[in-house]
Amino acid sequence: MEWIADPGVGAWLRETLDDGLGSMHAVVPRGFPAYARVFHPATVRESPTAADSEVRVSWAQTAAAFGTTMHAEAQWHRIVRTPVDADWRTRIAPDGREFTAPLEGALDSDLVSILAGHLAAHTTTPDDGVVALWDGFGALVGFFGDGPSRAFLTFSDDPNHQAMLDRSIHDPFNNVFRKPTWQDGILSREISEGPRLQLPGRDYVLFSGGARDFIDPAWVLGVPWRDRVGEEHGFPPSAQSPNILWPKDRTWVMVSEIDYDSTIVAGSPDLVRAICTDERLEAKALREGADLTWDADEVNR
């Protein structure tokens, strides 16, 4: 995969998007014969005080626990019966289990691999396409500033060393004469300062890449935006999943919008059927013009 310096390769997407926010087509292209919604998994544990780790749970299983109805245009906060002004991210079901909301803007890496298998099988260019990453993810791109976009806390048993560490943390806030300096991101400075694909409300960094690049479950190890700095501080290998992916022949488009807790695929009826019948994914066919905004779930009001 290589950085694409010319964002013009994605200019065609602008013509397929709506100006308003009244439907999914503010971020998902119009003009495709079929659409699928892949629901990002939530997590559950037996109780808020349970020591056991959280496990994945589907939206359908969650709806069953809360006595609500799962459907293609469901909204998570409605599924878990969230009262007005209450926290929808963590909810306790009538049976006492604690449910935590799905990730927004990212599909789990193993599910990306499964989905990529279907995408690769429904294009004539499975090795050739474009990957788009939203440039607003923390630490992805570098910038000029007083300090890095994230900090890895370090502690020491030596009181003198710990005092030095404490001063280094507070120094950027105390030194009013400090001039902004370049703060490295995961991506190089050349890419960080390079042109972006500008879509309504979102700017993206582009890379060359096809669906087949994501079939291997270990795809995070080979992408240019792998978080190697995080690994140096003891975190496991990780990489943001593509926010937009399309093949050179444009037979489909995959969109993981940063504010969506699901991934949308626009493509052929055969592709949508393959995705929705794969038991490893929780997916449903969507109508064109579907409304996935916050208050759109009329079924579970």
Side-chain angles (χ1 to χ4, degrees), residues 27-28 41 55 68 80 91 103 109 118 122 124 133 140 142 148 183 197 208 231:
V27 294
V28 178
V55 296
T68 50
V80 295
R91 301 292 300 159
L103 287 176
S109 61
H118 294 297
H122 289 82
T124 61
L133 298 177
L140 180 66
Q183 306 295 326
L197 170 62
S208 61
E231 292 175 42

XYZ file of all heavy atoms in Angstrom, residues 27-28 41 55 68 80 91 103 109 118 122 124 133 140 142 148 183 197 208 231:
153
model
N -23.252 10.381 3.740
C -21.916 9.768 3.802
C -21.790 8.518 2.943
O -20.679 8.070 2.658
C -21.545 9.421 5.264
C -21.392 10.682 6.095
C -22.573 8.491 5.897
N -22.909 7.938 2.537
C -22.912 6.710 1.733
C -23.378 7.045 0.319
O -24.431 7.663 0.148
C -23.844 5.648 2.349
C -23.880 4.394 1.474
C -23.395 5.305 3.762
N -20.316 -5.097 16.625
C -20.742 -5.825 17.825
C -20.619 -4.986 19.092
O -19.731 -4.136 19.216
C -19.792 -7.024 17.866
C -18.592 -6.586 17.093
C -19.104 -5.679 16.017
N -17.718 -9.931 26.766
C -17.740 -10.758 25.562
C -18.616 -10.076 24.522
O -19.484 -9.263 24.848
C -18.270 -12.178 25.850
C -17.341 -12.910 26.796
C -19.683 -12.123 26.423
N -36.849 -5.288 22.943
C -37.061 -4.373 21.830
C -36.968 -5.142 20.516
O -36.764 -6.357 20.507
C -36.035 -3.222 21.865
O -34.713 -3.773 22.007
C -36.307 -2.290 23.042
N -31.585 -0.377 23.552
C -31.334 -0.599 24.980
C -32.223 0.278 25.865
O -31.949 0.455 27.052
C -29.842 -0.385 25.320
C -28.983 -1.433 24.623
C -29.372 1.022 24.946
N -25.702 0.201 29.579
C -27.064 0.014 30.057
C -27.202 -1.359 30.719
O -26.575 -2.335 30.293
C -28.061 0.101 28.897
C -28.030 1.416 28.131
C -28.523 2.582 28.968
N -29.900 2.367 29.392
C -30.455 2.983 30.441
N -29.744 3.807 31.182
N -31.713 2.750 30.742
N -18.479 0.089 18.989
C -17.552 1.126 18.556
C -18.166 1.925 17.419
O -18.878 1.383 16.573
C -16.243 0.502 18.067
C -15.292 -0.091 19.104
C -14.107 -0.744 18.397
C -14.808 0.984 20.067
N -11.085 -5.746 13.610
C -10.167 -6.178 12.551
C -10.525 -7.550 11.981
O -10.388 -7.784 10.772
C -8.728 -6.182 13.060
O -8.569 -7.075 14.149
N -15.811 -11.080 1.058
C -16.979 -10.886 0.191
C -16.731 -9.765 -0.818
O -17.096 -9.887 -1.992
C -18.207 -10.561 1.041
C -18.653 -11.689 1.912
N -19.095 -12.892 1.405
C -18.718 -11.802 3.271
C -19.423 -13.704 2.406
N -19.200 -13.065 3.546
N -16.491 -9.829 -5.301
C -17.501 -9.138 -6.101
C -16.936 -7.899 -6.783
O -17.595 -6.858 -6.886
C -18.704 -8.774 -5.224
C -19.523 -9.955 -4.828
N -19.187 -10.770 -3.769
C -20.661 -10.490 -5.365
C -20.083 -11.737 -3.655
N -20.978 -11.591 -4.609
N -13.881 -6.950 -10.141
C -12.877 -7.436 -11.089
C -11.485 -6.932 -10.723
O -10.500 -7.331 -11.345
C -13.216 -6.968 -12.514
O -13.228 -5.528 -12.554
C -14.570 -7.501 -12.953
N -8.820 7.106 5.081
C -8.832 7.204 6.543
C -9.164 8.632 6.943
O -8.551 9.585 6.432
C -7.471 6.831 7.131
C -6.934 5.424 6.899
C -5.550 5.304 7.515
C -7.868 4.385 7.491
N -3.015 10.108 14.354
C -2.785 9.588 13.007
C -1.844 10.492 12.222
O -0.876 10.028 11.620
C -4.103 9.433 12.252
C -3.975 8.892 10.823
C -3.462 7.453 10.831
C -5.307 8.977 10.084
N 0.606 14.131 12.003
C 1.358 15.086 12.793
C 0.792 16.488 12.644
O -0.045 16.760 11.782
N 2.361 16.714 22.113
C 1.797 15.642 21.287
C 0.304 15.473 21.522
O -0.246 15.921 22.527
C 2.584 14.403 21.731
C 3.033 14.723 23.120
C 3.299 16.197 23.135
N 4.815 18.050 15.875
C 4.536 16.876 16.692
C 4.246 15.704 15.754
O 3.298 15.747 14.974
C 3.335 17.130 17.608
C 3.454 18.379 18.462
C 4.575 18.293 19.475
O 4.861 17.206 19.996
N 5.207 19.416 19.775
N -8.543 14.203 0.592
C -9.828 14.095 -0.084
C -10.846 14.784 0.810
O -11.063 14.371 1.953
C -10.219 12.631 -0.285
C -11.661 12.389 -0.762
C -11.898 13.017 -2.130
C -11.986 10.903 -0.775
N -3.353 3.552 -1.662
C -3.718 2.518 -2.621
C -3.910 1.210 -1.861
O -3.189 0.921 -0.904
C -2.619 2.358 -3.674
O -1.396 1.971 -3.057
N 2.907 0.423 20.020
C 3.543 -0.867 20.290
C 4.818 -0.692 21.105
O 5.128 -1.508 21.976
C 3.849 -1.575 18.974
C 2.603 -2.029 18.216
C 2.944 -2.625 16.865
O 3.931 -3.389 16.790
O 2.241 -2.323 15.878
